[in-house]
mmCIF file with all atom_site columns, all heavy atoms in Angstrom:
data_model
loop_
_atom_site.group_PDB
_atom_site.id
_atom_site.type_symbol
_atom_site.label_atom_id
_atom_site.label_alt_id
_atom_site.label_comp_id
_atom_site.label_asym_id
_atom_site.label_entity_id
_atom_site.label_seq_id
_atom_site.pdbx_PDB_ins_code
_atom_site.Cartn_x
_atom_site.Cartn_y
_atom_site.Cartn_z
_atom_site.occupancy
_atom_site.B_iso_or_equiv
_atom_site.pdbx_formal_charge
_atom_site.auth_seq_id
_atom_site.auth_comp_id
_atom_site.auth_asym_id
_atom_site.auth_atom_id
_atom_site.pdbx_PDB_model_num
ATOM 1   N N   . ILE A 1 92  ? -22.824 -0.044 6.859  1.00 0.00 ? 92  ILE A N   1
ATOM 2   C CA  . ILE A 1 92  ? -23.665 -1.219 6.820  1.00 0.00 ? 92  ILE A CA  1
ATOM 3   C C   . ILE A 1 92  ? -23.792 -1.777 5.375  1.00 0.00 ? 92  ILE A C   1
ATOM 4   O O   . ILE A 1 92  ? -24.426 -2.807 5.026  1.00 0.00 ? 92  ILE A O   1
ATOM 5   C CB  . ILE A 1 92  ? -25.120 -1.066 7.331  1.00 0.00 ? 92  ILE A CB  1
ATOM 6   C CG1 . ILE A 1 92  ? -25.951 -0.144 6.387  1.00 0.00 ? 92  ILE A CG1 1
ATOM 7   C CG2 . ILE A 1 92  ? -25.056 -0.570 8.776  1.00 0.00 ? 92  ILE A CG2 1
ATOM 8   C CD1 . ILE A 1 92  ? -27.363 -0.056 6.752  1.00 0.00 ? 92  ILE A CD1 1
ATOM 9   N N   . GLY A 1 93  ? -23.321 -0.982 4.366  1.00 0.00 ? 93  GLY A N   1
ATOM 10  C CA  . GLY A 1 93  ? -23.244 -1.365 2.985  1.00 0.00 ? 93  GLY A CA  1
ATOM 11  C C   . GLY A 1 93  ? -24.069 -0.444 2.114  1.00 0.00 ? 93  GLY A C   1
ATOM 12  O O   . GLY A 1 93  ? -25.008 0.189  2.578  1.00 0.00 ? 93  GLY A O   1
ATOM 13  N N   . ARG A 1 94  ? -23.746 -0.502 0.820  1.00 0.00 ? 94  ARG A N   1
ATOM 14  C CA  . ARG A 1 94  ? -24.483 0.357  -0.106 1.00 0.00 ? 94  ARG A CA  1
ATOM 15  C C   . ARG A 1 94  ? -25.891 -0.144 -0.401 1.00 0.00 ? 94  ARG A C   1
ATOM 16  O O   . ARG A 1 94  ? -26.742 0.671  -0.566 1.00 0.00 ? 94  ARG A O   1
ATOM 17  C CB  . ARG A 1 94  ? -23.726 0.355  -1.381 1.00 0.00 ? 94  ARG A CB  1
ATOM 18  C CG  . ARG A 1 94  ? -22.222 1.128  -1.465 1.00 0.00 ? 94  ARG A CG  1
ATOM 19  C CD  . ARG A 1 94  ? -21.337 0.963  -0.239 1.00 0.00 ? 94  ARG A CD  1
ATOM 20  N NE  . ARG A 1 94  ? -20.015 1.511  -0.635 1.00 0.00 ? 94  ARG A NE  1
ATOM 21  C CZ  . ARG A 1 94  ? -19.323 2.114  0.213  1.00 0.00 ? 94  ARG A CZ  1
ATOM 22  N NH1 . ARG A 1 94  ? -19.689 2.435  1.374  1.00 0.00 ? 94  ARG A NH1 1
ATOM 23  N NH2 . ARG A 1 94  ? -18.113 2.613  -0.070 1.00 0.00 ? 94  ARG A NH2 1
ATOM 24  N N   . THR A 1 95  ? -26.022 -1.360 -0.722 1.00 0.00 ? 95  THR A N   1
ATOM 25  C CA  . THR A 1 95  ? -27.302 -1.918 -1.314 1.00 0.00 ? 95  THR A CA  1
ATOM 26  C C   . THR A 1 95  ? -28.459 -1.691 -0.350 1.00 0.00 ? 95  THR A C   1
ATOM 27  O O   . THR A 1 95  ? -29.547 -1.386 -0.724 1.00 0.00 ? 95  THR A O   1
ATOM 28  C CB  . THR A 1 95  ? -27.115 -3.296 -1.679 1.00 0.00 ? 95  THR A CB  1
ATOM 29  O OG1 . THR A 1 95  ? -26.671 -4.139 -0.524 1.00 0.00 ? 95  THR A OG1 1
ATOM 30  C CG2 . THR A 1 95  ? -26.152 -3.478 -2.835 1.00 0.00 ? 95  THR A CG2 1
ATOM 31  N N   . ARG A 1 96  ? -28.335 -1.944 1.020  1.00 0.00 ? 96  ARG A N   1
ATOM 32  C CA  . ARG A 1 96  ? -29.467 -1.894 1.835  1.00 0.00 ? 96  ARG A CA  1
ATOM 33  C C   . ARG A 1 96  ? -29.810 -0.430 1.937  1.00 0.00 ? 96  ARG A C   1
ATOM 34  O O   . ARG A 1 96  ? -31.123 -0.173 2.077  1.00 0.00 ? 96  ARG A O   1
ATOM 35  C CB  . ARG A 1 96  ? -28.989 -2.471 3.136  1.00 0.00 ? 96  ARG A CB  1
ATOM 36  C CG  . ARG A 1 96  ? -28.984 -3.999 3.344  1.00 0.00 ? 96  ARG A CG  1
ATOM 37  C CD  . ARG A 1 96  ? -28.766 -4.509 4.685  1.00 0.00 ? 96  ARG A CD  1
ATOM 38  N NE  . ARG A 1 96  ? -27.494 -4.323 5.193  1.00 0.00 ? 96  ARG A NE  1
ATOM 39  C CZ  . ARG A 1 96  ? -27.072 -4.669 6.400  1.00 0.00 ? 96  ARG A CZ  1
ATOM 40  N NH1 . ARG A 1 96  ? -28.026 -5.137 7.310  1.00 0.00 ? 96  ARG A NH1 1
ATOM 41  N NH2 . ARG A 1 96  ? -25.710 -4.533 6.732  1.00 0.00 ? 96  ARG A NH2 1
ATOM 42  N N   . VAL A 1 97  ? -29.041 0.494  2.136  1.00 0.00 ? 97  VAL A N   1
ATOM 43  C CA  . VAL A 1 97  ? -29.387 1.860  2.163  1.00 0.00 ? 97  VAL A CA  1
ATOM 44  C C   . VAL A 1 97  ? -30.132 2.298  0.888  1.00 0.00 ? 97  VAL A C   1
ATOM 45  O O   . VAL A 1 97  ? -31.134 3.014  1.013  1.00 0.00 ? 97  VAL A O   1
ATOM 46  C CB  . VAL A 1 97  ? -28.099 2.811  2.442  1.00 0.00 ? 97  VAL A CB  1
ATOM 47  C CG1 . VAL A 1 97  ? -28.507 4.162  2.334  1.00 0.00 ? 97  VAL A CG1 1
ATOM 48  C CG2 . VAL A 1 97  ? -27.535 2.431  3.761  1.00 0.00 ? 97  VAL A CG2 1
ATOM 49  N N   . LEU A 1 98  ? -29.633 1.956  -0.190 1.00 0.00 ? 98  LEU A N   1
ATOM 50  C CA  . LEU A 1 98  ? -30.145 2.338  -1.486 1.00 0.00 ? 98  LEU A CA  1
ATOM 51  C C   . LEU A 1 98  ? -31.600 1.797  -1.669 1.00 0.00 ? 98  LEU A C   1
ATOM 52  O O   . LEU A 1 98  ? -32.443 2.358  -2.353 1.00 0.00 ? 98  LEU A O   1
ATOM 53  C CB  . LEU A 1 98  ? -29.274 1.879  -2.633 1.00 0.00 ? 98  LEU A CB  1
ATOM 54  C CG  . LEU A 1 98  ? -28.002 2.799  -2.783 1.00 0.00 ? 98  LEU A CG  1
ATOM 55  C CD1 . LEU A 1 98  ? -27.196 2.211  -3.843 1.00 0.00 ? 98  LEU A CD1 1
ATOM 56  C CD2 . LEU A 1 98  ? -28.386 4.129  -3.274 1.00 0.00 ? 98  LEU A CD2 1
ATOM 57  N N   . ALA A 1 99  ? -31.819 0.552  -1.165 1.00 0.00 ? 99  ALA A N   1
ATOM 58  C CA  . ALA A 1 99  ? -33.059 -0.046 -1.272 1.00 0.00 ? 99  ALA A CA  1
ATOM 59  C C   . ALA A 1 99  ? -34.207 0.807  -0.394 1.00 0.00 ? 99  ALA A C   1
ATOM 60  O O   . ALA A 1 99  ? -35.363 1.071  -0.774 1.00 0.00 ? 99  ALA A O   1
ATOM 61  C CB  . ALA A 1 99  ? -33.157 -1.511 -0.789 1.00 0.00 ? 99  ALA A CB  1
ATOM 62  N N   . PHE A 1 100 ? -33.639 1.303  0.701  1.00 0.00 ? 100 PHE A N   1
ATOM 63  C CA  . PHE A 1 100 ? -34.466 2.082  1.542  1.00 0.00 ? 100 PHE A CA  1
ATOM 64  C C   . PHE A 1 100 ? -34.772 3.494  0.938  1.00 0.00 ? 100 PHE A C   1
ATOM 65  O O   . PHE A 1 100 ? -36.001 3.901  1.068  1.00 0.00 ? 100 PHE A O   1
ATOM 66  C CB  . PHE A 1 100 ? -33.937 2.285  2.972  1.00 0.00 ? 100 PHE A CB  1
ATOM 67  C CG  . PHE A 1 100 ? -34.738 2.996  3.899  1.00 0.00 ? 100 PHE A CG  1
ATOM 68  C CD1 . PHE A 1 100 ? -35.910 2.483  4.481  1.00 0.00 ? 100 PHE A CD1 1
ATOM 69  C CD2 . PHE A 1 100 ? -34.405 4.387  4.160  1.00 0.00 ? 100 PHE A CD2 1
ATOM 70  C CE1 . PHE A 1 100 ? -36.672 3.327  5.283  1.00 0.00 ? 100 PHE A CE1 1
ATOM 71  C CE2 . PHE A 1 100 ? -35.208 5.096  5.080  1.00 0.00 ? 100 PHE A CE2 1
ATOM 72  C CZ  . PHE A 1 100 ? -36.368 4.616  5.611  1.00 0.00 ? 100 PHE A CZ  1
ATOM 73  N N   . THR A 1 101 ? -33.784 4.063  0.281  1.00 0.00 ? 101 THR A N   1
ATOM 74  C CA  . THR A 1 101 ? -34.007 5.482  -0.157 1.00 0.00 ? 101 THR A CA  1
ATOM 75  C C   . THR A 1 101 ? -35.005 5.413  -1.288 1.00 0.00 ? 101 THR A C   1
ATOM 76  O O   . THR A 1 101 ? -35.897 6.369  -1.515 1.00 0.00 ? 101 THR A O   1
ATOM 77  C CB  . THR A 1 101 ? -32.719 6.051  -0.736 1.00 0.00 ? 101 THR A CB  1
ATOM 78  O OG1 . THR A 1 101 ? -32.030 5.190  -1.616 1.00 0.00 ? 101 THR A OG1 1
ATOM 79  C CG2 . THR A 1 101 ? -31.725 6.243  0.480  1.00 0.00 ? 101 THR A CG2 1
ATOM 80  N N   . VAL A 1 102 ? -35.016 4.374  -2.252 1.00 0.00 ? 102 VAL A N   1
ATOM 81  C CA  . VAL A 1 102 ? -35.918 4.402  -3.274 1.00 0.00 ? 102 VAL A CA  1
ATOM 82  C C   . VAL A 1 102 ? -37.334 4.120  -2.771 1.00 0.00 ? 102 VAL A C   1
ATOM 83  O O   . VAL A 1 102 ? -38.321 4.494  -3.288 1.00 0.00 ? 102 VAL A O   1
ATOM 84  C CB  . VAL A 1 102 ? -35.446 3.426  -4.388 1.00 0.00 ? 102 VAL A CB  1
ATOM 85  C CG1 . VAL A 1 102 ? -35.699 1.950  -4.027 1.00 0.00 ? 102 VAL A CG1 1
ATOM 86  C CG2 . VAL A 1 102 ? -36.268 3.707  -5.660 1.00 0.00 ? 102 VAL A CG2 1
ATOM 87  N N   . LEU A 1 103 ? -37.453 3.222  -1.763 1.00 0.00 ? 103 LEU A N   1
ATOM 88  C CA  . LEU A 1 103 ? -38.734 3.028  -1.087 1.00 0.00 ? 103 LEU A CA  1
ATOM 89  C C   . LEU A 1 103 ? -39.360 4.270  -0.501 1.00 0.00 ? 103 LEU A C   1
ATOM 90  O O   . LEU A 1 103 ? -40.557 4.553  -0.823 1.00 0.00 ? 103 LEU A O   1
ATOM 91  C CB  . LEU A 1 103 ? -38.587 1.928  -0.064 1.00 0.00 ? 103 LEU A CB  1
ATOM 92  C CG  . LEU A 1 103 ? -39.820 1.659  0.922  1.00 0.00 ? 103 LEU A CG  1
ATOM 93  C CD1 . LEU A 1 103 ? -40.901 1.133  0.020  1.00 0.00 ? 103 LEU A CD1 1
ATOM 94  C CD2 . LEU A 1 103 ? -39.495 0.699  2.063  1.00 0.00 ? 103 LEU A CD2 1
ATOM 95  N N   . LEU A 1 104 ? -38.553 5.007  0.129  1.00 0.00 ? 104 LEU A N   1
ATOM 96  C CA  . LEU A 1 104 ? -38.966 6.323  0.745  1.00 0.00 ? 104 LEU A CA  1
ATOM 97  C C   . LEU A 1 104 ? -39.438 7.226  -0.349 1.00 0.00 ? 104 LEU A C   1
ATOM 98  O O   . LEU A 1 104 ? -40.433 7.911  -0.126 1.00 0.00 ? 104 LEU A O   1
ATOM 99  C CB  . LEU A 1 104 ? -37.798 6.959  1.465  1.00 0.00 ? 104 LEU A CB  1
ATOM 100 C CG  . LEU A 1 104 ? -38.029 8.147  2.426  1.00 0.00 ? 104 LEU A CG  1
ATOM 101 C CD1 . LEU A 1 104 ? -39.204 7.768  3.437  1.00 0.00 ? 104 LEU A CD1 1
ATOM 102 C CD2 . LEU A 1 104 ? -36.817 8.670  3.090  1.00 0.00 ? 104 LEU A CD2 1
ATOM 103 N N   . MET A 1 105 ? -38.737 7.454  -1.459 1.00 0.00 ? 105 MET A N   1
ATOM 104 C CA  . MET A 1 105 ? -39.069 8.362  -2.484 1.00 0.00 ? 105 MET A CA  1
ATOM 105 C C   . MET A 1 105 ? -40.369 7.879  -3.171 1.00 0.00 ? 105 MET A C   1
ATOM 106 O O   . MET A 1 105 ? -41.239 8.740  -3.442 1.00 0.00 ? 105 MET A O   1
ATOM 107 C CB  . MET A 1 105 ? -37.944 8.417  -3.543 1.00 0.00 ? 105 MET A CB  1
ATOM 108 C CG  . MET A 1 105 ? -38.322 9.254  -4.733 1.00 0.00 ? 105 MET A CG  1
ATOM 109 S SD  . MET A 1 105 ? -38.582 11.068 -4.322 1.00 0.00 ? 105 MET A SD  1
ATOM 110 C CE  . MET A 1 105 ? -36.936 11.696 -4.253 1.00 0.00 ? 105 MET A CE  1
ATOM 111 N N   . THR A 1 106 ? -40.543 6.631  -3.272 1.00 0.00 ? 106 THR A N   1
ATOM 112 C CA  . THR A 1 106 ? -41.697 6.113  -3.951 1.00 0.00 ? 106 THR A CA  1
ATOM 113 C C   . THR A 1 106 ? -42.957 6.386  -3.153 1.00 0.00 ? 106 THR A C   1
ATOM 114 O O   . THR A 1 106 ? -43.938 6.859  -3.651 1.00 0.00 ? 106 THR A O   1
ATOM 115 C CB  . THR A 1 106 ? -41.632 4.580  -4.186 1.00 0.00 ? 106 THR A CB  1
ATOM 116 O OG1 . THR A 1 106 ? -40.490 4.242  -4.985 1.00 0.00 ? 106 THR A OG1 1
ATOM 117 C CG2 . THR A 1 106 ? -42.766 4.112  -4.944 1.00 0.00 ? 106 THR A CG2 1
ATOM 118 N N   . VAL A 1 107 ? -42.920 6.159  -1.945 1.00 0.00 ? 107 VAL A N   1
ATOM 119 C CA  . VAL A 1 107 ? -43.982 6.508  -1.015 1.00 0.00 ? 107 VAL A CA  1
ATOM 120 C C   . VAL A 1 107 ? -44.299 8.003  -0.991 1.00 0.00 ? 107 VAL A C   1
ATOM 121 O O   . VAL A 1 107 ? -45.439 8.280  -1.037 1.00 0.00 ? 107 VAL A O   1
ATOM 122 C CB  . VAL A 1 107 ? -43.677 5.958  0.483  1.00 0.00 ? 107 VAL A CB  1
ATOM 123 C CG1 . VAL A 1 107 ? -44.701 6.447  1.523  1.00 0.00 ? 107 VAL A CG1 1
ATOM 124 C CG2 . VAL A 1 107 ? -43.607 4.517  0.432  1.00 0.00 ? 107 VAL A CG2 1
ATOM 125 N N   . ALA A 1 108 ? -43.253 8.789  -0.928 1.00 0.00 ? 108 ALA A N   1
ATOM 126 C CA  . ALA A 1 108 ? -43.508 10.294 -0.859 1.00 0.00 ? 108 ALA A CA  1
ATOM 127 C C   . ALA A 1 108 ? -44.202 10.719 -2.240 1.00 0.00 ? 108 ALA A C   1
ATOM 128 O O   . ALA A 1 108 ? -45.004 11.507 -2.174 1.00 0.00 ? 108 ALA A O   1
ATOM 129 C CB  . ALA A 1 108 ? -42.294 11.068 -0.747 1.00 0.00 ? 108 ALA A CB  1
#
Side-chain angles (χ1 to χ4, degrees):
I92 70 172
R94 292 38 168 141
T95 55
R96 283 191 283 176
V97 172
L98 283 171
F100 180 75
T101 58
V102 75
L103 171 64
L104 188 61
M105 176 61 84
T106 301
V107 171

